[in-house]
Amino acid sequence: MNPGDLDRRIVIQGLTESIDDYGQAVQTFSTLATVWSKVEEKSGSEGEEGDQIKAVKGVNFTIRYRTGITEKMRVSYDSNTYLVQAVINSDQRKRFITLNTKVYD
């Protein structure tokens, strides 16, 4: 991969848990890193959820290799939030990883 293809800024967010004033666990997402990425839209489909039709779009984000990224994280890009479905070591040399994601509209 050409590093010049990493031309979009994305925000990787991780789930954190804290305790509120009532002693209840509250889960929120916080920013872990803002990185350069290659963005590839892969697929789109529609499905029924409850009584509503939902659009589902698959997007791959390729970034420089970094440890600690899991399927429990999400990506924020272009005013959308993408749920990470898989983290793939793109080239087996630990130079790049691809985040397979889905966004629900």
Side-chain angles (χ1 to χ4, degrees), residues 11 28 32 34 42 62:
V11 176
T28 57
L32 296 176
T34 301
K42 286 298 186 186
T62 302

Side-chain angles (χ1 to χ4, degrees), residues 8-14 29-37 63-69 73-77 99:
R8 305 283 185 236
R9 286 299 257 185
I10 65 170
V11 176
I12 299 171
Q13 300 174 330
F29 280 92
S30 60
T31 298
L32 296 176
T34 301
V35 297
W36 291 102
S37 174
I63 63 173
R64 290 190 183 276
Y65 185 86
R66 64 185 304 132
T67 59
I69 297 178
M73 296 180 176
R74 68 184 190 182
V75 172
S76 177
Y77 169 70
L99 308 176

Side-chain angles (χ1 to χ4, degrees), residues 37-84:
S37 174
K38 177 180 178 182
V39 179
E40 298 176 278
E41 293 191 21
K42 286 298 186 186
S43 62
S45 65
E46 289 184 352
E48 190 172 325
E49 186 175 304
D51 291 336
Q52 298 180 356
I53 300 290
K54 296 276 187 177
V56 180
K57 181 171 62 171
V59 177
N60 288 348
F61 296 96
T62 302
I63 63 173
R64 290 190 183 276
Y65 185 86
R66 64 185 304 132
T67 59
I69 297 178
T70 69
E71 288 81 6
K72 294 180 181 179
M73 296 180 176
R74 68 184 190 182
V75 172
S76 177
Y77 169 70
D78 196 27
S79 302
N80 288 315
T81 302
Y82 300 84
L83 303 176
V84 176

Side-chain angles (χ1 to χ4, degrees), residues 14-29:
L15 191 62
T16 58
E17 191 170 296
S18 60
I19 305 297
D20 67 8
D21 294 338
Y22 302 103
Q24 299 294 319
V26 177
Q27 293 183 337
T28 57
F29 280 92

